[in-house]
Amino acid sequence: MKKRKILFLGESDRADAITWMNGLKEFGDFEIISWELKTPNNTIFNRLARILEFKFALFKIKKIIKLHQPDMVIAERTTSYGFLAALSGVKPVAIAQQGRTDLWPENSPLLPFKKLLQNYAFKKATLIHAWGPVMAISMAKANVDMDQVLVLPKGIDLVKFENRNSTNPSQISAIVTRSLMPEYRHDIILKAFAILNNKGIDFTLTIVGEGTQRAVLIDLAKKLNIENKVLFTGRIPNIELPKLLQASNFYISMPITEGVSASLFEAMASNCYPIVTDIPGNQSWIRHRENGQLIALDDPKMLAEELLWSFENKAQREQALLINRKFIENNVDYKINMKIIANKYHELINTNTSD
């Protein structure tokens, strides 16, 4: 059988993208060619340069298509790479919405323009990925043909993220695994732990990852007198993450917006009790005081109180951990979900070839 080629448009070093591509190689025997914008999106000057690069991106993509002759194009983010995939001329095209809407930030002056790009991408795509229900809701609001939408997370590796935990049960050992960016609100988490510290409650807090807020957050931990109990690991190899999760009994994530969080799934698989913000992207998976806690946005006092409540209610917490692991095994197994996605791609390619 002829080996099929897929052109992936998106940031190839992101964990989500790596999961997607590796799953297609492993379960679909696809050859993956990737292309991405080279300019980082971290300063105003770079953003302007990135927009200029975006203008000439289609020309570069067409050259890659001519050289490699891919059978299919897939892309992340409906407002950028997804739009380019729709323009590429290759069929079939699968695009994935990354955030709850991809129309972010909501106060951006570019929002009407982004909406035009997204609508075009939606219209031209053969298949649209919603990695979770919250994404499908926004797609329906955008009048997407829902018959073209596959609502399914990519899943996580349940062998790597094992069902075991080595934490000291008499101490709060919390972990945060989100990028150190303003939208993830690590400052709220630090303030909540300062409240616990002032009450004389023992804890350790491990903050994994890198980002623009690192120096600010280290300074804040010092000002709050909790720097001895907070470990900033920086960026770590992905292979080390399961061990850190298994050495923690609480997973905390306080973003102001959320699509579908692989980090949350990894924590749920690893017997970490999840405490997350009360927003639609988390409400899809967490029910308050049943299998986790839902916390109001930017509320360190509530976070401290709910963390303490869940720590003191050990029986409820242990029941929640069993529920969460079972849910992950039934719905978020990478080996099952990526096989479904890979088979779907083969089906789309074969249909397109026979037309």
Side-chain angles (χ1 to χ4, degrees):
M1 193 171 82
K2 181 189 168 191
K3 194 175 180 78
R4 299 296 194 176
K5 290 183 191 176
I6 287 178
L7 173 60
F8 170 78
L9 304 179
E11 280 123 36
S12 58
D13 61 341
R14 289 177 64 254
D16 276 355
I18 292 165
T19 300
W20 194 2
M21 288 189 283
N22 285 351
L24 293 174
K25 289 175 198 168
E26 187 177 352
F27 301 109
D29 194 32
F30 286 107
E31 180 186 336
I32 310 288
I33 305 122
S34 66
W35 181 87
E36 62 199 277
L37 295 164
K38 300 293 182 282
T39 315
N41 193 21
N42 54 359
T43 65
I44 291 171
F45 176 77
N46 278 348
R47 279 187 204 115
L48 292 171
R50 193 175 168 91
I51 289 167
L52 191 65
E53 189 186 358
F54 186 80
K55 276 183 75 175
F56 296 100
L58 189 61
F59 172 72
K60 292 178 181 176
I61 290 165
K62 294 264 192 187
K63 277 179 76 175
I64 291 166
I65 289 167
K66 195 174 178 182
L67 178 66
H68 293 283
Q69 298 289 306
D71 298 284
M72 181 175 182
V73 176
I74 65 172
E76 58 180 14
R77 294 203 182 91
T78 54
T79 54
S80 55
Y81 293 110
F83 173 72
L84 291 171
L87 282 175
S88 70
V90 175
K91 283 281 183 182
V93 172
I95 62 171
Q97 188 167 291
Q98 288 305 110
R100 181 172 59 85
T101 71
D102 274 356
L103 300 175
W104 183 263
E106 288 169 348
N107 60 353
S108 168
L110 293 173
L111 211 62
F113 177 62
K114 286 183 176 182
K115 202 173 274 190
L116 285 172
L117 299 185
Q118 186 182 68
N119 286 343
Y120 183 84
F122 280 151
K123 202 166 85 176
K124 294 291 180 182
T126 319
L127 178 73
I128 302 163
H129 285 288
W131 303 127
V134 72
M135 296 173 172
I137 292 166
S138 69
M139 289 172 187
K141 284 180 183 170
N143 297 318
V144 168
D145 178 357
M146 297 310 285
D147 288 340
Q148 290 176 275
V149 177
L150 177 62
V151 185
L152 188 74
K154 291 182 286 291
I156 61 164
D157 187 339
L158 297 184
V159 175
K160 191 160 69 168
F161 294 96
E162 286 181 87
N163 183 21
R164 61 189 176 91
N165 204 285
S166 58
T167 328
N168 174 3
S170 63
Q171 183 193 53
I172 293 172
S173 301
I175 189 166
V176 186
T177 61
R178 312 305 296 269
S179 304
L180 308 189
M181 304 299 283
E183 59 267 30
Y184 290 114
R185 296 295 200 263
H186 291 75
D187 57 326
I188 299 298
I189 298 169
L190 290 173
K191 286 170 187 173
F193 276 91
I195 293 169
L196 295 180
N197 193 53
N198 291 337
K199 290 182 176 180
I201 292 152
D202 192 23
F203 68 85
T204 62
L205 174 61
T206 302
I207 298 178
V208 179
E210 274 297 345
T212 59
Q213 299 295 291
R214 182 183 169 91
V216 174
L217 295 168
I218 289 171
D219 282 347
L220 180 59
K222 284 176 185 166
K223 281 178 192 160
L224 295 169
N225 295 317
I226 57 172
E227 73 270 25
N228 293 336
K229 297 186 176 185
V230 181
L231 171 65
F232 289 88
T233 68
R235 187 173 279 113
I236 61 164
N238 203 252
I239 199 162
E240 288 178 22
L241 184 58
K243 290 179 204 163
L244 288 176
L245 285 167
Q246 286 155 12
S248 310
N249 49 14
F250 289 92
Y251 165 83
I252 302 177
S253 179
M254 293 288 116
I256 54 172
T257 184
E258 190 73 277
V260 171
S261 171
S263 299
L264 173 59
F265 293 153
E266 289 162 358
M268 289 167 78
S270 307
N271 277 353
C272 273
Y273 186 83
I275 302 182
V276 295
T277 33
D278 191 3
I279 53 176
N282 290 325
Q283 291 159 3
S284 300
W285 322 108
I286 302 299
R287 293 167 307 285
H288 187 57
R289 291 195 175 183
E290 285 184 37
N291 69 326
Q293 318 286 98
L294 293 169
I295 309 297
L297 284 172
D298 294 338
D299 193 339
K301 186 170 179 283
M302 183 183 179
L303 173 55
E305 286 169 357
E306 290 297 327
L307 182 52
L308 194 53
W309 181 90
S310 54
F311 181 61
E312 289 170 348
N313 285 270
K314 192 180 172 204
Q316 182 274 343
R317 205 168 75 239
E318 285 175 350
Q319 182 62 27
L321 297 177
L322 294 173
I323 292 167
N324 286 345
R325 177 69 193 193
K326 194 166 183 55
F327 172 82
I328 295 293
E329 287 173 356
N330 291 341
N331 299 281
V332 197
D333 187 339
Y334 161 81
K335 288 182 179 174
I336 293 169
N337 292 11
M338 280 309 306
K339 204 172 282 183
I340 292 168
I341 292 166
N343 288 345
K344 183 70 178 171
Y345 287 3
H346 276 295
E347 183 189 309
L348 292 174
I349 291 166
N350 291 339
T351 303
N352 188 70
T353 308
S354 60
D355 283 351

